[in-house]
Amino acid sequence: MEDGTSKALGYCTGTYDDQVIQWDTRADCDVRRILDRIADKWSLLVIALLDRQTMRFSELRRAIDGVSQRMLTVTLRHLERDGLISRTVYPVVPPRVDYALTPLGISLHQVIKSLVTWTEDHQGEIARAHDEYDRRAEQEEHQQAVLGASV
Amino acid sequence: MEDGTSKALGYCTGTYDDQVIQWDTRADCDVRRILDRIADKWSLLVIALLDRQTMRFSELRRAIDGVSQRMLTVTLRHLERDGLISRTVYPVVPPRVDYALTPLGISLHQVIKSLVTWTEDHQGEIARAHDEYDRRAEQEEHQQAVLGASV
DNA sequence: CAGTATCCCTTTTGATACTG
DNA sequence: CAGTATCAAAAGGGATACTG
């Protein structure tokens, strides 16, 4: 993930025979990184919690139930490296480190919200799709059993 | 990932002491699922390729360089279960299976595009953040070495 | 063609212990 | 307090072989 564009370069180069594909080709290049970032287990929560407020490491840790110290550190480092959050160390004893969204982070947060809104608006549809799919799958499994018995 | 809301239920319940947090609390519930879906290694490419066109299994496989047969199947099943794509089997020999975006899938695709646009607009900033971070990290490493030598 | 079933390896994540 | 280091567990993903 750090070595950039490993294999799969094929679809990073612009056009197909019959149509111009504007952005899916970049999916593996830049989009993939920030997508991997916001989609990983804890980043989204961190970004959401830092909306309009600064938080200390321990505050984040308490707020995000279930995160390990290690993963919170890793997550924060990644977000910082991407320029989405800032990390401020106060040279006091005991140490104090504050995290906050950067302007870039705030801007991303706005975009993410539209995705969250979409999900909220469509969670019912998705749930229904799951039910239907599972119901069909179970039915087909049943068919199999019947056919198997007749042989 | 199939067992729904495992542990970490703490932040799925609405409000904090000092402020109402509207949506980050749901991040682990519904948003997480569709985020995990669109962020996994191949889903985004599939959704992008199916924009405005139907494709067969083998066409998708050829179009997505590097995907294994297994992972393409798994990806398509997940997307189908979420109601984002439809799967049409033609009872012919040899078999033919067509995949297409559902209205729900099309609607999600629209939203994803805004995320992609954001990424394209800000990839320069992110790259600069990386450089700066790495430069600082290297510098601090150097500091360490100097301090170590003096002891 | 369009899958399914297995095996195996790599990456990610979590638990635990230790430190400036 | 805010980490780092180490190790073990688990998930993700690929190669291969087989099937309706």
Side-chain angles (χ1 to χ4, degrees):
Chain A
M1 202 170 279
E2 300 296 331
D3 65 339
T5 50
S6 48
K7 49 198 168 184
L9 275 165
Y11 48 96
C12 271
T13 44
T15 57
Y16 280 79
D17 286 356
D18 50 355
Q19 71 170 298
V20 178
I21 297 186
Q22 277 197 305
W23 62 268
D24 67 331
T25 56
R26 308 201 63 84
D28 182 69
C29 309
D30 306 290
V31 176
R32 178 112 316 274
R33 314 234 177 135
I34 90 102
L35 215 47
D36 283 346
R37 189 67 54 244
I38 67 165
D40 81 21
K41 206 172 175 183
W42 309 111
S43 294
L44 185 64
L45 274 304
V46 170
I47 292 173
L49 283 166
L50 291 180
D51 183 43
R52 298 165 189 284
Q53 68 182 329
T54 287
M55 290 180 83
R56 303 181 55 168
F57 186 89
S58 52
E59 289 177 324
L60 283 167
R61 191 171 177 193
R62 271 192 300 276
I64 304 175
D65 185 48
V67 74
S68 67
Q69 194 167 28
R70 187 178 113 75
M71 286 317 293
L72 183 54
T73 302
V74 169
T75 300
L76 291 168
R77 290 293 178 281
H78 283 162
L79 291 171
E80 187 194 358
R81 183 165 186 270
D82 285 344
L84 298 169
I85 65 173
S86 64
R87 176 169 177 272
T88 311
V89 182
Y90 296 95
V92 295
V93 180
R96 176 198 178 100
V97 180
D98 279 3
Y99 292 93
L101 288 185
T102 61
L104 189 64
I106 293 171
S107 137
L108 175 60
H109 188 218
Q110 301 304 317
V111 178
I112 292 174
K113 279 181 184 171
S114 73
L115 194 62
V116 175
T117 303
W118 183 92
T119 306
E120 290 176 341
D121 291 348
H122 297 275
Q123 51 184 304
E125 278 179 83
I126 295 172
R128 273 193 294 283
H130 283 182
D131 291 348
E132 206 177 311
Y133 182 95
D134 294 346
R135 190 178 49 67
R136 274 208 310 267
E138 204 174 329
Q139 220 158 66
E140 273 158 38
E141 200 173 310
H142 185 64
Q143 287 291 321
Q144 286 294 331
V146 172
L147 287 171
S150 76
V151 174
Chain B
M1 201 169 278
E2 301 296 330
D3 64 339
T5 50
S6 50
K7 48 197 168 183
L9 275 165
Y11 47 96
C12 271
T13 44
T15 59
Y16 280 80
D17 287 357
D18 50 355
Q19 71 170 298
V20 179
I21 296 184
Q22 278 196 305
W23 62 268
D24 68 332
T25 56
R26 308 202 63 82
D28 181 68
C29 308
D30 306 291
V31 176
R32 179 113 313 279
R33 315 239 175 128
I34 91 102
L35 216 45
D36 283 345
R37 189 67 55 242
I38 67 167
D40 78 11
K41 206 171 175 185
W42 308 110
S43 293
L44 186 62
L45 274 303
V46 170
I47 292 173
L49 282 166
L50 291 180
D51 183 43
R52 300 167 187 283
Q53 69 184 330
T54 287
M55 291 181 83
R56 303 182 53 168
F57 186 88
S58 52
E59 289 177 325
L60 283 167
R61 193 173 176 191
R62 270 192 302 274
I64 304 176
D65 185 50
V67 73
S68 66
Q69 195 168 26
R70 183 178 115 78
M71 286 318 295
L72 183 55
T73 301
V74 169
T75 300
L76 292 168
R77 290 294 178 279
H78 283 163
L79 291 171
E80 187 193 358
R81 182 166 187 270
D82 285 344
L84 298 169
I85 65 172
S86 64
R87 178 168 175 272
T88 312
V89 183
Y90 297 95
V92 295
V93 181
R96 175 197 178 99
V97 180
D98 278 2
Y99 292 92
L101 288 185
T102 61
L104 188 64
I106 294 172
S107 136
L108 175 61
H109 189 217
Q110 300 305 316
V111 178
I112 292 174
K113 278 182 184 169
S114 73
L115 195 61
V116 174
T117 302
W118 183 92
T119 306
E120 290 177 341
D121 291 347
H122 297 275
Q123 51 184 305
E125 279 180 81
I126 294 171
R128 274 193 295 281
H130 284 182
D131 291 347
E132 207 177 310
Y133 182 96
D134 294 346
R135 191 178 48 67
R136 274 208 309 267
E138 202 174 329
Q139 221 158 65
E140 273 159 36
E141 200 174 307
H142 185 63
Q143 286 290 322
Q144 286 294 329
V146 172
L147 287 170
S150 75
V151 173

